[in-house]
Amino acid sequence: MYPTASRQEYERRLVTPYHLASGFTEEQQPPQVFAIPGNHDWYDGLIAFTRLFCSSRWFNGWQTKHRKSYFALKLPHGWWVLGADVQLQSDIDDPQVNYFKQVISHMQAGDRVMLCNAEPYWVTTEKYRETDPTFAEKNLAFLERLVQAQEARIQVSIAGDLHHYRRFEHIPASDDERVSESLKVEKITAGGGGAFLHPTHEFTTEALYDNSSEADSPIHKTREFKRMQDYPRVHDSSRLCWRNLLVRGTISGLAA
């Protein structure tokens, strides 16, 4: 919930728009909904989020099921969804680590995981690598190593926080150096809904690499993730920022 979570803001910005868009269903087996909080959801101590999503309540036509601010789902065809709560410290606490340890222990070799959390730590790690060398040692990276130890793999990582879209992609090559599209790994930032737009041109890195703790693992080789797509596009982002300055300058001139 942006900019500040409260019961009133949840009703105004989340519950009411979804109700107007989809109405209410009375299906005998209604769909379920699972959610993780963003950093702004913690501004009221997670009270509004917990009331809506962690109390077995209805959210329009969906039934909420999980009791904590994090969850794990086992899907068909060897897929899992892990939803982590990074709270206000960009990390997960010990109860979550222990919970996900137990979940990951049930994964089989070849299983694939979608990791959902509020912050794209693969971007922030790159940004703050020099100013905070320990940033890459977060517990989310530890979870990745646990998944790899089960011979499973995190194939999709998706996060918000930054108010734009950005996708990095790694496509591994097979033993004969052919590209394996089915094994490609995506790291996606999708935080563009409900708030102002963040620029994309200020981040100039065109490729990301696994942090050192992952690369040092005997079961893991350093992977390159190429920057595939941004919205707004880098050129458009720069242009929009200049327009923002022009608009502010015009308003300031009129006010004077």
Side-chain angles (χ1 to χ4, degrees), residues 22-25 30-31 58-63:
S22 61
F24 187 85
T25 178
W58 285 93
F59 172 53
N60 293 324
W62 296 302
Q63 176 72 63

mmCIF file of all heavy atoms in Angstrom, residues 22-25 30-31 58-63:
data_model
loop_
_atom_site.group_PDB
_atom_site.id
_atom_site.type_symbol
_atom_site.label_atom_id
_atom_site.label_comp_id
_atom_site.label_asym_id
_atom_site.label_seq_id
_atom_site.Cartn_x
_atom_site.Cartn_y
_atom_site.Cartn_z
ATOM 1 N N SER A 22 -14.352 -6.493 -10.365
ATOM 2 C CA SER A 22 -14.665 -7.921 -10.486
ATOM 3 C C SER A 22 -15.917 -8.357 -9.754
ATOM 4 O O SER A 22 -16.424 -9.454 -9.993
ATOM 5 C CB SER A 22 -13.478 -8.745 -9.966
ATOM 6 O OG SER A 22 -13.224 -8.467 -8.602
ATOM 7 N N GLY A 23 -16.423 -7.531 -8.834
ATOM 8 C CA GLY A 23 -17.591 -7.936 -8.080
ATOM 9 C C GLY A 23 -17.272 -9.045 -7.099
ATOM 10 O O GLY A 23 -16.122 -9.278 -6.738
ATOM 11 N N PHE A 24 -18.286 -9.765 -6.695
ATOM 12 C CA PHE A 24 -18.131 -10.830 -5.704
ATOM 13 C C PHE A 24 -18.649 -12.133 -6.279
ATOM 14 O O PHE A 24 -19.695 -12.170 -6.927
ATOM 15 C CB PHE A 24 -18.896 -10.480 -4.423
ATOM 16 C CG PHE A 24 -18.658 -11.441 -3.288
ATOM 17 C CD1 PHE A 24 -17.570 -11.285 -2.446
ATOM 18 C CD2 PHE A 24 -19.511 -12.505 -3.083
ATOM 19 C CE1 PHE A 24 -17.339 -12.167 -1.406
ATOM 20 C CE2 PHE A 24 -19.296 -13.399 -2.038
ATOM 21 C CZ PHE A 24 -18.211 -13.228 -1.205
ATOM 22 N N THR A 25 -17.924 -13.209 -6.063
ATOM 23 C CA THR A 25 -18.331 -14.510 -6.580
ATOM 24 C C THR A 25 -18.856 -15.386 -5.447
ATOM 25 O O THR A 25 -18.401 -15.283 -4.308
ATOM 26 C CB THR A 25 -17.154 -15.231 -7.260
ATOM 27 O OG1 THR A 25 -17.608 -16.509 -7.705
ATOM 28 C CG2 THR A 25 -15.989 -15.423 -6.306
ATOM 29 N N PRO A 30 -14.201 -21.235 -4.343
ATOM 30 C CA PRO A 30 -13.675 -19.943 -4.790
ATOM 31 C C PRO A 30 -12.158 -19.989 -4.922
ATOM 32 O O PRO A 30 -11.475 -20.765 -4.246
ATOM 33 C CB PRO A 30 -14.091 -19.001 -3.663
ATOM 34 C CG PRO A 30 -14.182 -19.881 -2.459
ATOM 35 C CD PRO A 30 -14.702 -21.195 -2.964
ATOM 36 N N PRO A 31 -11.608 -19.161 -5.782
ATOM 37 C CA PRO A 31 -10.142 -19.086 -5.886
ATOM 38 C C PRO A 31 -9.537 -18.513 -4.623
ATOM 39 O O PRO A 31 -10.195 -17.792 -3.863
ATOM 40 C CB PRO A 31 -9.929 -18.151 -7.086
ATOM 41 C CG PRO A 31 -11.180 -17.335 -7.159
ATOM 42 C CD PRO A 31 -12.288 -18.237 -6.691
ATOM 43 N N TRP A 58 -12.401 -12.775 3.356
ATOM 44 C CA TRP A 58 -12.640 -12.663 1.925
ATOM 45 C C TRP A 58 -12.032 -11.362 1.404
ATOM 46 O O TRP A 58 -12.142 -10.322 2.042
ATOM 47 C CB TRP A 58 -14.138 -12.678 1.622
ATOM 48 C CG TRP A 58 -14.742 -14.033 1.738
ATOM 49 C CD1 TRP A 58 -15.347 -14.574 2.840
ATOM 50 C CD2 TRP A 58 -14.785 -15.024 0.726
ATOM 51 N NE1 TRP A 58 -15.770 -15.851 2.568
ATOM 52 C CE2 TRP A 58 -15.438 -16.154 1.275
ATOM 53 C CE3 TRP A 58 -14.332 -15.093 -0.583
ATOM 54 C CZ2 TRP A 58 -15.647 -17.322 0.557
ATOM 55 C CZ3 TRP A 58 -14.553 -16.249 -1.303
ATOM 56 C CH2 TRP A 58 -15.193 -17.344 -0.744
ATOM 57 N N PHE A 59 -11.399 -11.477 0.253
ATOM 58 C CA PHE A 59 -10.956 -10.291 -0.479
ATOM 59 C C PHE A 59 -11.711 -10.314 -1.803
ATOM 60 O O PHE A 59 -11.301 -10.973 -2.750
ATOM 61 C CB PHE A 59 -9.446 -10.310 -0.682
ATOM 62 C CG PHE A 59 -8.934 -9.221 -1.588
ATOM 63 C CD1 PHE A 59 -9.255 -7.894 -1.353
ATOM 64 C CD2 PHE A 59 -8.131 -9.523 -2.673
ATOM 65 C CE1 PHE A 59 -8.784 -6.897 -2.185
ATOM 66 C CE2 PHE A 59 -7.649 -8.533 -3.511
ATOM 67 C CZ PHE A 59 -7.980 -7.221 -3.269
ATOM 68 N N ASN A 60 -12.882 -9.646 -1.804
ATOM 69 C CA ASN A 60 -13.806 -9.720 -2.930
ATOM 70 C C ASN A 60 -14.145 -11.183 -3.216
ATOM 71 O O ASN A 60 -14.642 -11.884 -2.364
ATOM 72 C CB ASN A 60 -13.230 -8.996 -4.146
ATOM 73 C CG ASN A 60 -13.125 -7.495 -3.893
ATOM 74 O OD1 ASN A 60 -13.973 -6.909 -3.223
ATOM 75 N ND2 ASN A 60 -12.068 -6.881 -4.388
ATOM 76 N N GLY A 61 -13.833 -11.689 -4.403
ATOM 77 C CA GLY A 61 -14.182 -13.068 -4.740
ATOM 78 C C GLY A 61 -13.135 -14.088 -4.383
ATOM 79 O O GLY A 61 -13.261 -15.256 -4.753
ATOM 80 N N TRP A 62 -12.092 -13.673 -3.673
ATOM 81 C CA TRP A 62 -11.007 -14.585 -3.330
ATOM 82 C C TRP A 62 -10.996 -14.882 -1.835
ATOM 83 O O TRP A 62 -11.299 -14.018 -1.010
ATOM 84 C CB TRP A 62 -9.659 -13.985 -3.743
ATOM 85 C CG TRP A 62 -9.499 -13.802 -5.213
ATOM 86 C CD1 TRP A 62 -9.588 -14.765 -6.182
ATOM 87 C CD2 TRP A 62 -9.211 -12.581 -5.898
ATOM 88 N NE1 TRP A 62 -9.370 -14.214 -7.430
ATOM 89 C CE2 TRP A 62 -9.133 -12.872 -7.285
ATOM 90 C CE3 TRP A 62 -9.005 -11.267 -5.476
ATOM 91 C CZ2 TRP A 62 -8.860 -11.908 -8.237
ATOM 92 C CZ3 TRP A 62 -8.725 -10.306 -6.431
ATOM 93 C CH2 TRP A 62 -8.663 -10.627 -7.784
ATOM 94 N N GLN A 63 -10.569 -16.073 -1.511
ATOM 95 C CA GLN A 63 -10.442 -16.477 -0.121
ATOM 96 C C GLN A 63 -8.978 -16.382 0.305
ATOM 97 O O GLN A 63 -8.100 -16.957 -0.346
ATOM 98 C CB GLN A 63 -10.917 -17.922 0.050
ATOM 99 C CG GLN A 63 -10.729 -18.485 1.447
ATOM 100 C CD GLN A 63 -11.693 -17.885 2.457
ATOM 101 O OE1 GLN A 63 -12.885 -18.034 2.340
ATOM 102 N NE2 GLN A 63 -11.149 -17.203 3.454
#
